Amino acid sequence: MINSSVPHSARIWNYWLGGKDCYEIDREVGDQIRGVNPEIVQIARAQRAFLKRTVTYLAGEVGIRQFLDVGTGLPTFDNTHEVAQRIAPEARIVYVDHDPIVLAHATALLTSTAEGATDYIDADLRDPAAILEGAARTLDFEQPVALMLLGIAAHVSDDSAYGIVERLVDALPSGSHLVFCDSTEVFHPEEMRAMVEQWNQASDNPRTNRSPEQLARFFDGLELLDPGLVSVAQWRPGPSEAVTAEEDEPQAPDEPQEVDSFGGVARKA
């Protein structure tokens, strides 16, 4: 039973991304949060662009054919399976979320090419054993897997988050990759702290911000690829994401504006 009178984090995020799968209460809370932190919409969209670039890199240049996307949220555009299967139709993707709103929309995610596969698991990040057990029905853990954790570890506010991520990474074979990002307080600390306070008052899924040094711990034991842990807008931005001069005056593209979400991609040896 979906309660449309209670805001949900997945629906609020969907609203910021320009999606339609949200209720008035979600738009109201989303606007309240944006009122204390105007950057949040830019963060949401920069994070989605980060997903697209990292999946494109892993499927295209690295040759990864399996993706485990934990905390996927509501489907919008350029979901992991869409990006991966455009490059490799045989790619296999497993989405994980425990929000009933996302479960209700799971059929929108369960669309796959004939050559590949897409599945959905109703599970919580705090239960990595259930995630791995469910994912094994679709993914071959003898072959490399890309583990996607975008903006989800912030919902585990204590240090147990490190052990959870380590447990998931430990289950992956050599050649697997971790794609990770989460919120920081580097560029707009007051606004980011106010956002978390507002979010935690309104939502049933509280979250926290972490420093870049704290976020770097999630990559311990892995080979962090260039350019390292950076604002997600700075992770290998493409030409279409940068501002350029007129065509008759070619210049180097400007750097995309940095946002308070840091991420990176790391390889397991």
Side-chain angles (χ1 to χ4, degrees), residues 41-209:
V41 173
Q42 185 180 355
I43 290 174
R45 296 177 182 179
Q47 187 171 298
R48 176 56 53 144
F50 175 71
L51 180 152
K52 182 179 179 181
R53 294 196 305 277
T54 55
V55 173
T56 297
Y57 165 72
L58 291 172
E61 296 188 37
V62 180
I64 297 291
R65 295 295 179 263
Q66 302 189 111
F67 295 81
L68 178 56
D69 187 341
V70 183
T72 177
L74 285 163
T76 51
F77 55 90
D78 282 336
N79 301 291
T80 299
H81 75 285
E82 294 170 329
V83 178
Q85 290 182 345
R86 279 200 296 265
I87 297 168
E90 72 275 21
R92 306 173 73 82
I93 295 87
V94 172
Y95 291 103
V96 182
D97 209 295
H98 74 289
D99 192 310
I101 306 302
V102 177
L103 181 59
H105 288 81
T107 53
L109 290 174
L110 299 177
T111 56
S112 175
T113 58
E115 303 94 325
T118 308
D119 197 8
Y120 176 85
I121 299 173
D122 182 12
D124 193 314
L125 176 64
R126 295 172 181 82
D127 190 355
I131 292 173
L132 295 169
E133 180 182 357
R137 295 193 294 266
T138 302
L139 306 181
D140 177 4
F141 282 94
E142 298 297 318
Q143 300 297 322
V145 175
L147 172 62
M148 314 285 296
L149 297 171
L150 305 188
I152 182 66
H155 291 293
V156 182
S157 58
D158 58 25
D159 281 355
S160 67
Y162 298 108
I164 292 169
V165 174
E166 183 179 11
R167 172 71 180 87
L168 291 171
V169 171
D170 282 349
L172 306 181
S174 176
S176 294
H177 287 69
L178 171 64
V179 181
F180 183 97
C181 73
D182 236 325
S183 57
T184 64
E185 299 176 356
V186 173
F187 303 111
H188 304 283
E190 293 183 5
E191 291 86 345
M192 291 299 293
R193 292 182 197 122
M195 178 203 73
V196 166
E197 182 178 348
Q198 181 71 37
W199 182 292
N200 293 347
Q201 289 175 352
S203 174
D204 61 348
N205 195 12
R207 59 182 296 119
T208 189
N209 299 323

Side-chain angles (χ1 to χ4, degrees), residues 4-53:
S4 61
S5 66
V6 177
H8 282 265
S9 58
R11 294 198 308 247
I12 295 170
W13 201 260
N14 179 268
Y15 171 54
W16 289 331
L17 284 173
K20 305 300 182 185
D21 296 314
C22 51
Y23 296 112
E24 180 60 33
I25 186 62
D26 305 303
R27 293 187 288 271
E28 179 181 330
V29 172
D31 287 341
Q32 289 173 357
I33 294 172
R34 184 163 56 180
V36 298
N37 183 16
E39 187 192 25
I40 188 57
V41 173
Q42 185 180 355
I43 290 174
R45 296 177 182 179
Q47 187 171 298
R48 176 56 53 144
F50 175 71
L51 180 152
K52 182 179 179 181
R53 294 196 305 277

Side-chain angles (χ1 to χ4, degrees), residues 180-254:
F180 183 97
C181 73
D182 236 325
S183 57
T184 64
E185 299 176 356
V186 173
F187 303 111
H188 304 283
E190 293 183 5
E191 291 86 345
M192 291 299 293
R193 292 182 197 122
M195 178 203 73
V196 166
E197 182 178 348
Q198 181 71 37
W199 182 292
N200 293 347
Q201 289 175 352
S203 174
D204 61 348
N205 195 12
R207 59 182 296 119
T208 189
N209 299 323
R210 289 185 169 96
S211 69
E213 292 76 18
Q214 290 172 316
L215 295 180
R217 287 181 56 192
F218 287 104
F219 296 101
D220 283 355
L222 302 174
E223 177 192 356
L224 190 59
L225 306 184
D226 288 338
L229 178 66
V230 295
S231 176
V232 292
Q234 297 291 330
W235 198 92
R236 304 188 184 186
S240 63
E241 297 175 64
V243 178
T244 59
E246 295 296 329
E247 291 184 3
D248 59 349
E249 297 181 20
Q251 297 180 11
D254 294 334

